Amino acid sequence: MVNLNINGKTHRIDVDPNTPLLWVIRDSLGMTGTKFGCGAQLCGACTVHLDGKPVRSCGTPVSAAAGKKVTTIEGVAASEAGKRVQAAWAALDVPQCGYCQSGQIMSATALLAAKPKPTDADIDAAMDGNICRCGTYPRIRAAIHKAAGGKGA
């Protein structure tokens, strides 16, 4: 049994401690906003926050999340940065197909929580590894600046 704090709620889950956190979130708890992309921690579609830091849940064993706060896309709006990022995403119509966007939003929210006024270089570094096959990178960058209250706002 593993005790998890996900989006402020405690869950007691009976799974192998090596089970990837992604599958516990999606299959055991039914929160399907976190996506499976590559399964190799390379694309960022499965990004969640672990104690406020973005991690790839496809490669994070559930045992590594025990005793920590996990935030998924379903709970990101509980933070002020998460609300601003989601509002900016909607205002600038960022998604095209949308598949990668939960991971993009999670990485962007962690960036703004750590660095409220990021530069383009900060954005590039924080978003590195979050792949968008539709190529919405210019809108993602603009939305992050908008959420930070900067250009594009």
Side-chain angles (χ1 to χ4, degrees):
M1 294 297 258
V2 179
N3 288 323
L4 296 175
N5 179 331
I6 300 181
N7 300 328
K9 294 172 79 176
T10 301
H11 302 272
R12 190 165 168 84
I13 309 292
D14 187 13
V15 294
D16 182 304
N18 293 316
T19 302
L21 179 58
L22 171 66
W23 300 121
V24 171
I25 291 168
R26 288 183 60 81
D27 294 346
S28 299
L29 300 176
M31 291 184 257
T32 58
T34 303
K35 303 300 184 201
F36 173 78
C38 66
Q41 303 180 69
L42 300 172
C43 73
C46 68
T47 302
V48 298
H49 295 172
L50 196 57
D51 283 343
K53 306 287 185 218
V55 298
R56 306 300 196 235
S57 63
C58 72
T60 302
V62 72
S63 60
K68 298 181 178 170
K69 289 182 173 183
V70 177
T71 305
T72 69
I73 191 68
E74 290 88 352
V76 76
S79 75
E80 189 56 41
K83 284 181 206 164
R84 289 192 326 268
V85 168
Q86 286 186 326
W89 246 247
L92 297 180
D93 200 22
V94 172
Q96 189 164 320
C97 85
Y99 196 83
C100 70
Q101 295 303 309
S102 60
Q104 301 280 358
I105 287 169
M106 296 306 291
S107 291
T109 299
L111 167 63
L112 290 180
K115 192 161 202 151
K117 299 291 182 188
T119 64
D120 284 347
D122 295 329
I123 293 169
D124 291 347
M127 301 305 289
D128 186 43
N130 281 87
I131 297 171
C132 175
R133 293 188 67 186
C134 300
T136 64
Y137 301 114
R139 292 192 308 241
I140 290 168
R141 177 180 282 167
I144 293 169
H145 282 301
K146 181 174 183 64
K151 62 182 175 181

Short mmCIF file of all heavy atoms in Angstrom, two decimals, residues 105-147:
data_model
loop_
_atom_site.label_atom_id
_atom_site.label_comp_id
_atom_site.label_asym_id
_atom_site.label_seq_id
_atom_site.Cartn_x
_atom_site.Cartn_y
_atom_site.Cartn_z
N ILE A 105 1.43 22.99 -19.72
CA ILE A 105 0.88 23.84 -18.67
C ILE A 105 1.56 23.55 -17.33
O ILE A 105 1.89 24.47 -16.58
CB ILE A 105 -0.65 23.68 -18.58
CG1 ILE A 105 -1.30 24.37 -19.78
CG2 ILE A 105 -1.20 24.24 -17.26
CD1 ILE A 105 -2.78 24.07 -19.94
N MET A 106 1.80 22.28 -17.05
CA MET A 106 2.45 21.92 -15.77
C MET A 106 3.87 22.48 -15.72
O MET A 106 4.29 23.03 -14.69
CB MET A 106 2.45 20.40 -15.58
CG MET A 106 1.06 19.80 -15.45
SD MET A 106 0.01 20.53 -14.17
CE MET A 106 0.84 19.97 -12.70
N SER A 107 4.61 22.38 -16.81
CA SER A 107 5.98 22.92 -16.83
C SER A 107 5.97 24.44 -16.74
O SER A 107 6.77 25.04 -16.02
CB SER A 107 6.73 22.47 -18.09
OG SER A 107 6.98 21.08 -18.02
N ALA A 108 5.05 25.08 -17.45
CA ALA A 108 4.95 26.54 -17.43
C ALA A 108 4.57 27.04 -16.04
O ALA A 108 5.11 28.05 -15.56
CB ALA A 108 3.93 27.02 -18.46
N THR A 109 3.67 26.34 -15.38
CA THR A 109 3.24 26.74 -14.03
C THR A 109 4.40 26.63 -13.04
O THR A 109 4.60 27.53 -12.22
CB THR A 109 2.05 25.89 -13.57
OG1 THR A 109 0.96 26.10 -14.47
CG2 THR A 109 1.61 26.26 -12.17
N ALA A 110 5.16 25.56 -13.13
CA ALA A 110 6.32 25.40 -12.24
C ALA A 110 7.34 26.51 -12.50
O ALA A 110 7.92 27.06 -11.55
CB ALA A 110 6.96 24.03 -12.44
N LEU A 111 7.52 26.87 -13.76
CA LEU A 111 8.44 27.97 -14.09
C LEU A 111 7.99 29.26 -13.43
O LEU A 111 8.78 29.95 -12.78
CB LEU A 111 8.53 28.16 -15.61
CG LEU A 111 9.20 29.45 -16.10
CD1 LEU A 111 10.66 29.50 -15.66
CD2 LEU A 111 9.06 29.59 -17.60
N LEU A 112 6.72 29.62 -13.61
CA LEU A 112 6.24 30.89 -13.06
C LEU A 112 6.21 30.90 -11.54
O LEU A 112 6.38 31.96 -10.93
CB LEU A 112 4.87 31.23 -13.63
CG LEU A 112 4.88 31.60 -15.11
CD1 LEU A 112 3.47 31.93 -15.58
CD2 LEU A 112 5.82 32.75 -15.40
N ALA A 113 6.01 29.76 -10.93
CA ALA A 113 6.05 29.69 -9.46
C ALA A 113 7.47 29.95 -8.96
O ALA A 113 7.67 30.59 -7.93
CB ALA A 113 5.55 28.33 -8.98
N ALA A 114 8.46 29.49 -9.72
CA ALA A 114 9.86 29.67 -9.33
C ALA A 114 10.43 31.00 -9.80
O ALA A 114 11.29 31.58 -9.14
CB ALA A 114 10.70 28.52 -9.89
N LYS A 115 9.96 31.47 -10.94
CA LYS A 115 10.51 32.68 -11.55
C LYS A 115 9.36 33.47 -12.16
O LYS A 115 9.02 33.26 -13.32
CB LYS A 115 11.55 32.31 -12.61
CG LYS A 115 12.36 33.47 -13.08
CD LYS A 115 13.62 33.00 -13.75
CE LYS A 115 14.59 34.13 -13.70
NZ LYS A 115 15.95 33.74 -13.67
N PRO A 116 8.76 34.39 -11.39
CA PRO A 116 7.54 35.08 -11.84
C PRO A 116 7.69 35.93 -13.10
O PRO A 116 6.70 36.18 -13.78
CB PRO A 116 7.17 35.95 -10.65
CG PRO A 116 7.82 35.30 -9.47
CD PRO A 116 9.08 34.68 -10.00
N LYS A 117 8.88 36.37 -13.44
CA LYS A 117 9.10 37.19 -14.64
C LYS A 117 10.20 36.56 -15.50
O LYS A 117 11.31 37.08 -15.60
CB LYS A 117 9.51 38.63 -14.25
CG LYS A 117 8.46 39.38 -13.44
CD LYS A 117 7.26 39.70 -14.28
CE LYS A 117 6.25 40.49 -13.46
NZ LYS A 117 4.99 40.65 -14.17
N PRO A 118 9.91 35.45 -16.14
CA PRO A 118 10.95 34.75 -16.90
C PRO A 118 11.32 35.45 -18.21
O PRO A 118 10.49 36.11 -18.83
CB PRO A 118 10.31 33.39 -17.20
CG PRO A 118 8.85 33.70 -17.28
CD PRO A 118 8.62 34.77 -16.24
N THR A 119 12.57 35.29 -18.58
CA THR A 119 13.04 35.75 -19.88
C THR A 119 12.77 34.66 -20.91
O THR A 119 12.39 33.53 -20.55
CB THR A 119 14.56 36.01 -19.85
OG1 THR A 119 15.23 34.75 -19.61
CG2 THR A 119 14.95 37.02 -18.76
N ASP A 120 12.99 34.98 -22.17
CA ASP A 120 12.84 33.95 -23.21
C ASP A 120 13.80 32.78 -22.94
O ASP A 120 13.42 31.62 -23.13
CB ASP A 120 13.10 34.53 -24.60
CG ASP A 120 11.94 35.35 -25.13
OD1 ASP A 120 10.83 35.28 -24.55
OD2 ASP A 120 12.14 36.07 -26.13
N ALA A 121 15.01 33.07 -22.48
CA ALA A 121 15.97 32.01 -22.17
C ALA A 121 15.46 31.14 -21.02
O ALA A 121 15.63 29.91 -21.04
CB ALA A 121 17.34 32.60 -21.84
N ASP A 122 14.86 31.75 -20.01
CA ASP A 122 14.29 30.99 -18.89
C ASP A 122 13.18 30.06 -19.40
O ASP A 122 13.09 28.90 -18.99
CB ASP A 122 13.69 31.92 -17.83
CG ASP A 122 14.71 32.79 -17.14
OD1 ASP A 122 15.87 32.37 -16.98
OD2 ASP A 122 14.32 33.92 -16.74
N ILE A 123 12.34 30.60 -20.27
CA ILE A 123 11.24 29.81 -20.83
C ILE A 123 11.79 28.65 -21.64
O ILE A 123 11.34 27.51 -21.48
CB ILE A 123 10.29 30.69 -21.67
CG1 ILE A 123 9.57 31.69 -20.76
CG2 ILE A 123 9.30 29.84 -22.46
CD1 ILE A 123 8.81 32.78 -21.50
N ASP A 124 12.77 28.93 -22.48
CA ASP A 124 13.36 27.86 -23.29
C ASP A 124 13.92 26.75 -22.40
O ASP A 124 13.71 25.56 -22.67
CB ASP A 124 14.47 28.41 -24.19
CG ASP A 124 13.94 29.30 -25.29
OD1 ASP A 124 12.72 29.32 -25.53
OD2 ASP A 124 14.77 30.00 -25.92
N ALA A 125 14.62 27.12 -21.34
CA ALA A 125 15.22 26.12 -20.45
C ALA A 125 14.14 25.31 -19.72
O ALA A 125 14.24 24.09 -19.62
CB ALA A 125 16.15 26.80 -19.44
N ALA A 126 13.12 25.99 -19.22
CA ALA A 126 12.08 25.31 -18.45
C ALA A 126 11.21 24.41 -19.32
O ALA A 126 10.74 23.37 -18.86
CB ALA A 126 11.20 26.34 -17.74
N MET A 127 11.02 24.81 -20.56
CA MET A 127 10.12 24.06 -21.44
C MET A 127 10.86 23.04 -22.29
O MET A 127 10.22 22.27 -23.02
CB MET A 127 9.34 25.03 -22.33
CG MET A 127 8.51 26.06 -21.57
SD MET A 127 7.34 25.38 -20.38
CE MET A 127 6.13 24.66 -21.48
N ASP A 128 12.18 23.01 -22.19
CA ASP A 128 12.98 22.05 -22.96
C ASP A 128 12.53 20.63 -22.63
O ASP A 128 12.40 20.27 -21.47
CB ASP A 128 14.47 22.21 -22.61
CG ASP A 128 15.34 21.35 -23.48
OD1 ASP A 128 15.10 21.28 -24.70
OD2 ASP A 128 16.28 20.73 -22.94
N GLY A 129 12.25 19.86 -23.63
CA GLY A 129 11.79 18.49 -23.41
C GLY A 129 10.28 18.34 -23.42
O GLY A 129 9.79 17.22 -23.37
N ASN A 130 9.55 19.44 -23.46
CA ASN A 130 8.10 19.37 -23.64
C ASN A 130 7.86 19.52 -25.14
O ASN A 130 7.97 20.61 -25.68
CB ASN A 130 7.38 20.48 -22.87
CG ASN A 130 7.23 20.17 -21.42
OD1 ASN A 130 8.13 20.47 -20.64
ND2 ASN A 130 6.14 19.57 -21.04
N ILE A 131 7.53 18.44 -25.77
CA ILE A 131 7.42 18.42 -27.23
C ILE A 131 5.97 18.67 -27.66
O ILE A 131 5.04 18.08 -27.10
CB ILE A 131 7.92 17.07 -27.78
CG1 ILE A 131 9.40 16.92 -27.44
CG2 ILE A 131 7.68 16.98 -29.28
CD1 ILE A 131 9.96 15.55 -27.73
N CYS A 132 5.83 19.54 -28.66
CA CYS A 132 4.53 19.81 -29.26
C CYS A 132 4.66 19.47 -30.75
O CYS A 132 5.33 20.18 -31.50
CB CYS A 132 4.14 21.28 -29.08
SG CYS A 132 2.60 21.70 -29.93
N ARG A 133 4.03 18.40 -31.16
CA ARG A 133 4.12 17.98 -32.56
C ARG A 133 3.44 18.97 -33.50
O ARG A 133 3.74 19.03 -34.68
CB ARG A 133 3.53 16.59 -32.75
CG ARG A 133 4.39 15.55 -32.03
CD ARG A 133 3.96 14.17 -32.35
NE ARG A 133 4.24 13.91 -33.76
CZ ARG A 133 3.87 12.81 -34.38
NH1 ARG A 133 3.20 11.89 -33.75
NH2 ARG A 133 4.14 12.65 -35.66
N CYS A 134 2.52 19.76 -32.97
CA CYS A 134 1.81 20.75 -33.80
C CYS A 134 2.62 22.04 -33.95
O CYS A 134 2.26 22.89 -34.76
CB CYS A 134 0.44 21.06 -33.20
SG CYS A 134 -0.63 19.62 -33.08
N GLY A 135 3.66 22.21 -33.15
CA GLY A 135 4.52 23.38 -33.28
C GLY A 135 3.94 24.66 -32.71
O GLY A 135 4.18 25.74 -33.25
N THR A 136 3.21 24.57 -31.61
CA THR A 136 2.61 25.78 -31.03
C THR A 136 3.57 26.55 -30.12
O THR A 136 3.14 27.36 -29.31
CB THR A 136 1.32 25.44 -30.24
OG1 THR A 136 1.64 24.62 -29.13
CG2 THR A 136 0.29 24.77 -31.13
N TYR A 137 4.85 26.32 -30.27
CA TYR A 137 5.85 26.94 -29.39
C TYR A 137 5.74 28.47 -29.31
O TYR A 137 5.85 29.02 -28.21
CB TYR A 137 7.26 26.52 -29.79
CG TYR A 137 7.47 25.03 -29.75
CD1 TYR A 137 7.71 24.31 -30.91
CD2 TYR A 137 7.41 24.33 -28.54
CE1 TYR A 137 7.90 22.94 -30.87
CE2 TYR A 137 7.60 22.96 -28.50
CZ TYR A 137 7.85 22.27 -29.66
OH TYR A 137 8.02 20.91 -29.63
N PRO A 138 5.53 29.19 -30.40
CA PRO A 138 5.40 30.66 -30.27
C PRO A 138 4.20 31.06 -29.40
O PRO A 138 4.29 31.99 -28.60
CB PRO A 138 5.21 31.14 -31.71
CG PRO A 138 5.86 30.09 -32.55
CD PRO A 138 5.58 28.80 -31.83
N ARG A 139 3.09 30.34 -29.51
CA ARG A 139 1.93 30.64 -28.67
C ARG A 139 2.17 30.24 -27.23
O ARG A 139 1.70 30.91 -26.30
CB ARG A 139 0.66 29.96 -29.23
CG ARG A 139 0.24 30.56 -30.57
CD ARG A 139 -1.14 30.14 -31.00
NE ARG A 139 -1.38 28.71 -31.01
CZ ARG A 139 -1.71 28.00 -32.08
NH1 ARG A 139 -1.83 28.59 -33.26
NH2 ARG A 139 -1.94 26.72 -31.99
N ILE A 140 2.90 29.15 -27.01
CA ILE A 140 3.24 28.74 -25.65
C ILE A 140 4.08 29.82 -24.99
O ILE A 140 3.80 30.24 -23.86
CB ILE A 140 3.97 27.37 -25.65
CG1 ILE A 140 3.00 26.25 -26.04
CG2 ILE A 140 4.65 27.10 -24.31
CD1 ILE A 140 3.66 24.93 -26.36
N ARG A 141 5.11 30.30 -25.68
CA ARG A 141 5.96 31.35 -25.12
C ARG A 141 5.15 32.61 -24.84
O ARG A 141 5.27 33.22 -23.78
CB ARG A 141 7.12 31.68 -26.06
CG ARG A 141 7.97 32.84 -25.52
CD ARG A 141 9.11 33.18 -26.42
NE ARG A 141 10.13 32.17 -26.19
CZ ARG A 141 11.18 31.98 -26.96
NH1 ARG A 141 11.35 32.73 -28.03
NH2 ARG A 141 12.06 31.07 -26.67
N ALA A 142 4.30 33.01 -25.77
CA ALA A 142 3.47 34.21 -25.58
C ALA A 142 2.54 34.04 -24.38
O ALA A 142 2.34 34.98 -23.60
CB ALA A 142 2.67 34.51 -26.85
N ALA A 143 1.98 32.85 -24.21
CA ALA A 143 1.08 32.61 -23.09
C ALA A 143 1.83 32.66 -21.76
O ALA A 143 1.29 33.18 -20.76
CB ALA A 143 0.38 31.26 -23.25
N ILE A 144 3.04 32.17 -21.73
CA ILE A 144 3.83 32.25 -20.49
C ILE A 144 4.12 33.71 -20.15
O ILE A 144 3.98 34.13 -19.01
CB ILE A 144 5.13 31.40 -20.60
CG1 ILE A 144 4.77 29.92 -20.69
CG2 ILE A 144 6.05 31.69 -19.42
CD1 ILE A 144 5.92 29.00 -21.05
N HIS A 145 4.51 34.48 -21.16
CA HIS A 145 4.72 35.93 -20.92
C HIS A 145 3.42 36.60 -20.45
O HIS A 145 3.45 37.43 -19.55
CB HIS A 145 5.27 36.61 -22.17
CG HIS A 145 6.73 36.38 -22.40
ND1 HIS A 145 7.70 36.74 -21.50
CD2 HIS A 145 7.38 35.82 -23.45
CE1 HIS A 145 8.89 36.42 -21.97
NE2 HIS A 145 8.72 35.85 -23.17
N LYS A 146 2.31 36.24 -21.06
CA LYS A 146 1.02 36.82 -20.65
C LYS A 146 0.71 36.46 -19.20
O LYS A 146 0.29 37.31 -18.42
CB LYS A 146 -0.09 36.35 -21.59
CG LYS A 146 -1.46 36.94 -21.24
CD LYS A 146 -2.49 36.56 -22.28
CE LYS A 146 -3.84 37.18 -22.04
NZ LYS A 146 -3.84 38.63 -22.13
N ALA A 147 0.90 35.21 -18.84
CA ALA A 147 0.63 34.77 -17.48
C ALA A 147 1.55 35.46 -16.47
O ALA A 147 1.17 35.68 -15.32
CB ALA A 147 0.79 33.26 -17.37
#
